[in-house]
Amino acid sequence: MSAILIDGKELSARVRAQLVTRLKSSGRPARLDAVLVGHDRAASVYAENQAKTCAAVGIEYRLHRLPEGAGYGEIAGRVLLLNTEEDVRAIMLHLPLPMGVDVERVQSLIASDKDVEGVNPANIGNVVYGRRSLVPCTALAAVEMIESTGIELRGARVVIVGASNIVGKPIAVLLMRAEATVISTNKFTRELAQLTRGADVLVAAAGVPNLIRADMVKPGAVVIDVGINRVVDSDGKSKTVGDVAFDEVRAVAGFISPVPGGVGPMTVAMLLRNTVDAALR
Ligand code: NAD
């Protein structure tokens, strides 16, 4: 058996098309204001790509660049200013921030109704309470991909490998809200394989290449790979892989998301959807 591929590119294209229609029929503008501090190459490339993706959907993208040497005061000041501007409906903060600046402290300043990455703890709290909120994009992406398989989540056994505040925990909470039976695991979990083998849905979000092997997966399970790891292959070439040993797990699972081309593009689509939600709210 070979698992059905959960194609993140295709799903994200569908979401983007829906956003174009929503924006057109609303007749209202949407804009994403992004703060980027310094000259980190990866963050700059990400910002350039974001500008293009936003443009393709009809979202205006404004990049607020702050100098490399900006400290907490300057960064916080910019975020607080954006919070007060009425035209600004969606704010995101590029990482990394300069050494010594507390990322979570800055993130918690972003007005919760403009926090389209869902990084303000208030938004995560709202997710727990089931209130309307801006949900962390990667968690939303993972859950949408699970739902795309048509699996009944109520009563399903879910194991989440990885429990960070921004990925593993919000995925767990969203799936608990769907009345799945959720087991959250972390690097101290004993006998991980025993737990994962019982999972109807297995989400890997640990940042460890090849952590999930075929003998850890229940036949027919839905496997979502959130991991993004840079590794050097046997030819000495650098490539991106997830946390799941894709080729062998594909032979056991019922559905599987690839890396690249899985959760990554869906995460971007969820950021755009949160931006449109914030604009039209
Ligand atoms: P993190 O380092 O903050 O958290 C990792 C979690 O995994 C921790 O809870 C840790 O205890 C757990 N863990 C580590 N080793 C483990 C093991 N052997 N068994 C079980 N649990 C283990 O990482 P993060 O920010 O949550 O990111 C996780 C992965 O997801 C990374 O590869 C990251 O690059 C990727 N990521 C992808 C996207 C995306 O858009 N696809 C977005 C964010 C993060």
Side-chain angles (χ1 to χ4, degrees):
M1 190 178 89
S2 185
I4 295 169
L5 204 67
I6 309 174
D7 186 336
K9 286 189 195 158
E10 193 185 305
L11 288 173
S12 64
R14 230 181 282 167
V15 172
R16 290 198 306 271
Q18 286 162 359
L19 295 178
V20 171
T21 310
R22 264 180 78 194
L23 277 175
K24 274 198 186 131
S25 62
S26 78
R28 286 162 62 185
R31 178 173 130 194
L32 175 58
D33 285 70
V35 176
L36 194 158
V37 186
H39 303 288
D40 182 77
R41 228 190 93 65
S44 297
V45 170
Y46 183 39
E48 276 167 33
N49 288 337
Q50 237 175 18
K52 285 184 206 150
T53 319
C54 281
V57 173
I59 296 171
E60 185 190 343
Y61 185 72
R62 289 203 191 171
L63 187 61
H64 303 262
R65 276 191 179 274
L66 296 181
E68 187 83 52
Y72 173 79
E74 191 174 345
I75 303 167
R78 180 61 66 104
V79 169
L80 293 172
L81 183 68
L82 291 172
N83 282 348
T84 61
E85 287 181 9
E86 216 169 291
D87 288 350
V88 175
R89 307 294 291 266
I91 302 171
M92 71 151 292
L93 181 69
H94 282 284
L95 298 182
L97 295 184
M99 283 266 283
V101 178
D102 184 339
V103 172
E104 286 182 14
R105 196 168 158 217
V106 179
Q107 289 174 329
S108 65
L109 294 176
I110 301 172
S112 60
D113 58 343
K114 300 185 179 189
D115 168 34
V116 284
E117 288 181 294
V119 290
N120 183 328
N123 272 325
I124 298 169
N126 284 333
V127 177
V128 173
Y129 280 83
R131 294 188 191 132
R132 193 161 111 154
S133 64
L134 292 163
V135 178
C137 306
T138 304
L140 265 184
V143 173
E144 290 261 333
M145 292 174 86
I146 296 167
E147 286 174 346
S148 77
T149 67
I151 190 173
E152 168 71 43
L153 276 171
R154 178 173 287 168
R157 271 195 273 184
V158 179
V159 173
I160 299 160
V161 182
S164 69
N165 288 336
I166 201 66
V167 184
K169 280 185 201 160
I171 294 174
V173 172
L174 287 174
L175 294 170
M176 283 162 71
R177 272 174 49 180
E179 296 177 308
T181 301
V182 179
I183 297 177
S184 163
T185 70
N186 58 61
K187 62 183 166 199
F188 302 109
T189 298
R190 289 189 290 271
E191 285 143 13
L192 180 67
Q194 241 179 55
L195 298 172
T196 57
R197 273 197 288 271
D200 304 310
V201 177
L202 176 57
V203 180
V208 181
N210 286 326
L211 177 64
I212 305 300
R213 312 299 305 230
D215 63 359
M216 298 168 73
V217 176
K218 180 177 172 179
V222 175
V223 178
I224 304 293
D225 193 352
V226 182
I228 297 179
N229 310 293
R230 287 303 287 176
V231 296
V232 177
D233 68 13
S234 49
D235 307 331
K237 284 194 197 128
S238 169
K239 61 172 184 174
T240 301
V241 299
D243 290 354
V244 175
F246 183 82
D247 291 334
E248 59 178 67
V249 172
R250 188 177 193 180
V252 180
F255 294 85
I256 187 168
S257 74
V259 176
V263 177
M266 234 355 222
T267 296
V268 176
M270 293 300 105
L271 176 72
L272 300 178
R273 196 169 77 185
N274 278 349
T275 300
V276 171
D277 286 347
L280 302 187
R281 192 174 281 179

